[in-house]
Every structure is written in C-alpha cells, then in structure tokens.
C-alpha cells in the first residue's frame, strides 16, 4: 500500500478551444474574448494521516481543484492518484473512498437527515447508519430535522456525519468551516484529528481562516490564479 | 494468464454494474414513494387516448387528419415525460420545481453512481411500460385495419411500433441525457 494517500502530478484543467475545436490545455482565454479560468500544473503529495489546507483568494481555483477530483469525466491533463491508483481509471471506486463536504454537494432538502442518509448511503459499500447517527448526535443536530430547514453550519455537520459514516480514505472539504460557530469549529477539528489518528486516511480542506492555517493544518498549499505557488509542511511562525 | 486476468476484471465489472443497478432500483423505489403518489395515473390516461387514436388505421392518414401527429406528440412527449417524472426530480410530481436543484442526478453526482447506469436503469422503466403499450397498440391498429380495409399491412405494425416504442424511447433518452 502506498504511503501517500493522495498525489497530484502536473494537473492542469482542460478548456474547450474556440468553436469547440478540441481541448487545449494552454488556453488562457475562451472564445470571443471571454476570460476562462484554468488550473495549471498542480503537483503535490499528501501522506496518510495528515491534513492539508488549500489556501487562496476567492477564485484562486480551490473549488475547481475539488471539481477536477470529483467530476466523473476527466477534465484535466496530468494525473491524480488515490492510494497509488489513478482516480479516473476507476472513478466509482474512488468516489466510494472519498468523503466530500461542500456547498455543491446537494442532498434532498425536503427529506430529513436520516432519510437522506438511508436513501443515499446505500450507494457506498460500507455505509454505517449507526455511525451516522452517532456523529449527528455528537454534532448536536437532530437526524429527524428536514435538510431544507437546516442552517449552513448544520448542513455542514450533516455532510460531515454522512462522509464519516462511509469511512472514506480521503476527505475533501471545500470551505467547510465557513459559517461554523467557533465552539463547534474546535470540536470539528477534534473530530478530524480523531479520524486521522489511525493514520489510514487524509484530509484536504480549503479555508480562509488564519487561526486554522496556523494551528490545525499539517501541510499548506497556496493557490494563486490556478497555480500552486507554494506547498510544504506548515511551520507556525 | 493475461486473458484469465482480463476475464476476471470483466466479470468483476459486470458484478459491480449489476450491484449498482440493484442499488439504483432500491433508491428509485423509495424515491417513488415520495414523488409518484398520483404520477402513475398520467401515463395511463395518455395511453388510453393513444390506444383510442390507434383505432384509426395509418392508411387513412392521407385524408387530411392530423391524428398521427397527435399520437406521436402524446406518445413521444407526454408518455416518456410522465413515466420518468417521478424519477427525474426529487420533488412531488405535480409540484412545480422552483429551480434546477431538484434534479435527482444532481443529488447522486458526487456519490459512487455512474451516469451511464443511472440512464440505463431509467430507460429500463420506460421500456417496461412501453413494450406492453406497443403490443396493445399493434393489436388495436391491426384489428381496425383489418376491419376497415379488409387487411392488415406491415405498415400498420411499423407505424404502431414506431410511434409507441421507438419515438418515446428516443424522447426519453434525450430527456435523461439533457435534463435528468
């Protein structure tokens, strides 16, 4: 088994050329002068048992990077590996091993948290309903609450519980702590460190919060206009 | 040795796909209990009208009636729409979706569900409904052609199969590819 939980090798997002004339990785501008965004040559390695933070301004490419990982179609050049295996060779198995916490991750808003977990959890090979309920209790959110009536913070807690319940190897968290109350944020990181304790998974999260960057992250990658300008161990100043 | 390994991989893939289809059907069953309370009524109503229109043999279409167009519209647009509606959106069938956030596939997008299997399972529901309707339609069309014109011709069968099976299947596929 590979020591690296996740590896990105020269990942550049692909954009369609003018009039859809094939995919051109070096294109900076789309057709008719419309500015398009792309990731460029992102490379890093995340060992098992660590949290990596993706940091950057709004529009730096954090969400686009997560999209590249989660999208069923391969829309990038280069390679991304989960536990040493290409994530797009068998994307479904990769999704089975990935827990995604993001605003983009939609659930059924008219159903309760428990109904969502029961209906959607069946697609994972090892979804544990008891673990889900336990996590919801720990996050102090009722499993019987309708998702549409939850606050943003509660939705993130639900998503965290849903992700934890299928025991993924890689957690991807896009701005998960934004809008979270400070008391729960401490507990949130405690939960993440507990998940990492057995050293069998890794976490990539994007954040803007200075305190988290200083204290909670093991590795930090800085994104600027789609480029990873810096990556390394987080050394608190 | 390599062939053996390839065979094993193919077998595993097939098993995985079968398991995924089973999971999707279980999911749909539960989804239908929320979204399809009266949805089953609509395809039945439209099918009744379509079968009524099938009583007119296609040979009589040249007389200026626009009934084949009505049949094609009903079977090609409304029947697949009504059959698939409880599965395409997560809201109740007759609840007007406020935005695109109600599409079922969007809820499954980041889960281990392949779009190919998602479409294939739903096309299965449509086919299961349509083959029975087609058989009934072919029978009605041939019987009335035999009564009106003295004989049933291959064109009656081709017409019934075309508008009751191929057109709705194609429309359903387009609906699932574009909006489902």
């Amino acid at each position: 088994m590979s020591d690296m939980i996740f590896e990105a090798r020269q990942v550049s997002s692909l954009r369609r050329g003018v009039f859809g004339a094939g995919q051109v990785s070096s294109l900076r501008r789309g057709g008719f002068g419309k500015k398009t965004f792309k990731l460029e040559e992102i490379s890093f390695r995340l060992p098992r048992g660590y949290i990596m933070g993706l940091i950057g301004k709004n529009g730096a490419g954090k969400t686009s990077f997560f999209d590249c990982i989660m999208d069923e179609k391969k829309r990038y050049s280069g390679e991304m590996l989960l536990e040493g295996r290409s994530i797009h060779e068998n994307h479904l198995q990769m999704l089975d091993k990935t827990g995604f916490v993001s605003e983009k991750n939609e659930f059924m808003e008219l159903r309760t948290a428990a109904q969502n977990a029961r209906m959607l959890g069946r697609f994972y090979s090892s979804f544990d309903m008891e673990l889900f309920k336990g996590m919801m209790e720990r996050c102090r959110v009722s499993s019987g609450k309708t998702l549409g009536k939850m606050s943003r913070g509660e939705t993130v807690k639900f998503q965290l519980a849903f992700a934890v319940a299928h025991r993924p190897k890689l957690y991807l968290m896009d701005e998960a702590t934004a809008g979270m109350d400070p008391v729960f944020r401490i507990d949130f990181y405690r939960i993440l460190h507990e998940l990492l304790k057995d050293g069998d998974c890794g976490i990539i999260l994007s954040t803007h919060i200075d305190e988290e960057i200083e204290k909670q992250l093991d590795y930090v990658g800085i994104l600027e206009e789609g480029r990873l300008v810096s990556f390394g161990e987080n050394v608190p100043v | 040795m390599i062939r053996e390994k390839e065979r094993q991989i193919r077998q595993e893939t097939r098993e995985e796909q079968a398991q995924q289809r089973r999971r999707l059907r279980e999911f749909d069953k539960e989804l239908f209990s929320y979204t399809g309370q009266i949805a089953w009524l609509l395809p039945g109503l439209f099918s009744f009208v379509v079968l009524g229109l099938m009583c007119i043999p296609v040979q009589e279409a040249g007389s200026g009636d626009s009934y084949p167009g009505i049949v094609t519209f009903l079977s090609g647009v409304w029947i697949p729409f009504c059959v698939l509606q409880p599965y395409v959106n997560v809201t109740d069938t007759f609840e007007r979706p406020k935005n695109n956030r109600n599409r079922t596939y969007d809820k499954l997008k980041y889960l281990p569900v392949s779009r190919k299997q998602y479409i294939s399972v739903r096309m299965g529901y449509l086919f299961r409904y349509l083959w029975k309707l087609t058989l009934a339609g072919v029978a009605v069309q041939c019987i009335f052609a035999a009564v009106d014109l003295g004989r049933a011709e291959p064109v009656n069968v081709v017409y019934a199969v075309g508008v009751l099976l191929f057109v709705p299947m194609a429309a359903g596929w387009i609906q699932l590819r574009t909006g489902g």
Side-chain angles (χ1 to χ4, degrees):
Chain A
M1 197 159 48
S2 170
D3 284 343
M4 295 295 150
I5 195 80
F6 183 81
E7 208 175 329
R9 292 180 187 161
Q10 304 273 311
V11 173
S12 301
S13 53
L14 299 172
R15 284 270 172 247
R16 282 209 171 273
V18 181
F19 306 120
Q23 293 184 315
V24 186
S25 67
S26 60
L27 203 72
R28 290 290 299 170
R29 278 179 178 274
F32 310 108
K34 189 182 165 193
K35 196 174 179 184
T36 59
F37 176 82
K38 76 187 284 290
L39 299 170
E40 281 183 62
E41 302 199 340
I42 292 177
S43 300
F44 66 87
R45 301 168 89 191
L46 177 67
R48 283 172 195 277
Y50 292 97
I51 304 182
M52 177 196 161
L54 267 181
I55 297 151
K57 290 181 209 163
N58 290 333
K62 303 183 293 289
T63 303
S64 303
F65 180 69
F66 289 131
D67 282 349
C68 275
I69 300 173
M70 298 303 288
D71 208 325
E72 194 176 351
K73 283 184 187 159
K74 192 182 175 197
R75 296 184 200 275
Y76 60 89
S77 63
E79 203 173 17
M80 288 202 262
L81 308 172
L82 177 66
E83 292 191 304
R85 292 181 66 188
S86 167
I87 62 168
H88 271 92
E89 263 174 28
N90 197 338
H91 195 242
L92 295 184
Q93 273 182 17
M94 197 288 295
L95 288 179
D96 196 33
K97 291 178 183 175
T98 307
F100 188 42
V101 179
S102 163
E103 262 187 351
K104 280 191 156 190
N105 201 358
E106 290 176 14
F107 290 85
M108 287 177 278
E109 289 182 0
L110 298 174
R111 316 286 163 231
T112 64
Q115 283 171 337
N116 268 281
R118 197 181 60 243
M119 284 180 78
L120 301 172
R122 60 163 54 90
F123 292 107
Y124 291 98
S125 57
S126 53
F127 191 84
D128 187 341
M129 197 64 190
E130 292 307 309
L131 186 56
F132 170 78
K133 284 180 182 163
M135 278 302 294
M136 288 294 279
E137 260 173 47
R138 182 165 176 186
C139 296
R140 290 183 286 278
V141 182
S142 164
S143 300
K145 193 169 181 181
T146 309
L147 245 63
K149 289 177 183 164
M150 285 185 182
S151 65
R152 191 191 181 279
E154 283 176 323
T155 310
V156 171
K157 289 172 188 176
F158 158 75
Q159 287 199 32
L160 177 68
F162 186 78
V164 169
H166 70 269
R167 298 189 174 93
K169 299 286 180 194
L170 177 69
Y171 290 87
L172 300 174
M173 299 185 175
D174 190 11
E175 308 275 359
T177 50
M180 202 179 266
D181 60 87
V183 178
F184 182 72
R185 196 180 294 150
I186 296 164
D187 203 27
F188 175 79
Y189 275 102
R190 200 173 293 146
I191 293 168
L192 297 192
H193 285 290
E194 278 171 24
L195 294 170
L196 292 170
K197 211 182 261 177
D198 61 1
D200 203 29
C201 63
I203 298 169
I204 302 176
L205 64 85
S206 64
T207 181
H208 288 294
I209 302 165
D210 290 345
E211 196 186 331
E212 288 175 4
I213 300 165
E214 276 179 30
K215 292 179 184 169
Q216 306 291 355
L217 307 176
D218 301 312
Y219 288 85
V220 172
I222 300 171
L223 276 171
E224 262 181 37
E225 294 183 352
R227 285 195 171 92
L228 190 69
V229 291
S230 152
F231 174 74
E233 276 188 53
N234 187 21
V235 185
V237 180
Chain B
M1 187 72 176
I2 294 168
R3 250 184 220 172
E4 182 66 25
K5 206 170 178 184
E6 276 177 2
R7 204 162 57 87
Q8 200 182 335
I9 290 168
R10 271 202 300 272
Q11 176 73 16
E12 278 173 17
T13 313
R14 269 200 298 271
E15 280 168 17
E16 217 170 80
Q17 286 174 346
Q19 194 182 31
Q20 200 175 85
R21 278 198 294 271
R22 188 178 49 76
R23 284 174 182 163
L24 269 166
R25 281 191 206 107
E26 282 171 10
F27 169 80
D28 286 340
K29 217 171 168 181
E30 204 162 333
L31 182 68
F32 191 86
S33 67
Y34 296 123
T35 58
Q37 289 95 338
I38 45 173
W40 57 272
L41 242 172
L42 279 180
L45 279 174
F46 286 120
S47 301
F48 189 73
V49 178
V50 166
L51 285 179
L53 287 165
M54 275 288 154
C55 297
I56 308 167
V58 70
Q59 289 90 335
E60 290 180 9
S63 61
D65 295 335
S66 58
Y67 83 90
I70 299 168
V71 173
T72 312
F73 179 71
L74 284 174
S75 62
V77 177
W78 284 108
I79 291 176
F81 177 78
C82 294
V83 171
L84 295 173
Q85 191 56 20
Y87 306 107
V88 168
N89 282 326
V90 293
T91 49
D92 294 340
T93 298
F94 294 105
E95 191 178 326
R96 196 162 63 91
K98 291 182 184 70
N99 48 39
N100 286 337
R101 289 170 67 94
N102 296 314
R103 287 196 300 223
T104 307
Y105 187 72
D106 287 345
K107 315 293 171 193
L108 307 177
K109 203 173 167 187
Y110 298 120
L111 304 182
V113 179
S114 92
R115 187 159 175 82
K116 205 174 153 190
Q117 294 299 327
Y118 172 85
I119 291 175
S120 133
V121 166
R122 275 146 185 75
M123 286 300 283
Y125 300 144
L126 193 58
F127 182 75
R128 213 171 53 189
Y129 185 86
L130 289 173
W131 77 264
K132 293 173 214 162
L133 180 69
T134 307
L135 274 186
V138 168
V140 170
Q141 176 78 188
C142 289
I143 289 166
F144 278 85
V147 170
D148 280 5
L149 310 165
R151 66 188 186 285
E153 291 174 356
V155 70
N156 296 104
V157 178
V158 171
Y159 166 66
V161 172
V163 293
L164 297 181
L165 186 68
F166 290 116
V167 173
M169 285 297 279
W173 187 79
I174 291 166
Q175 189 192 336
L176 288 169
R177 287 288 297 181
T178 54

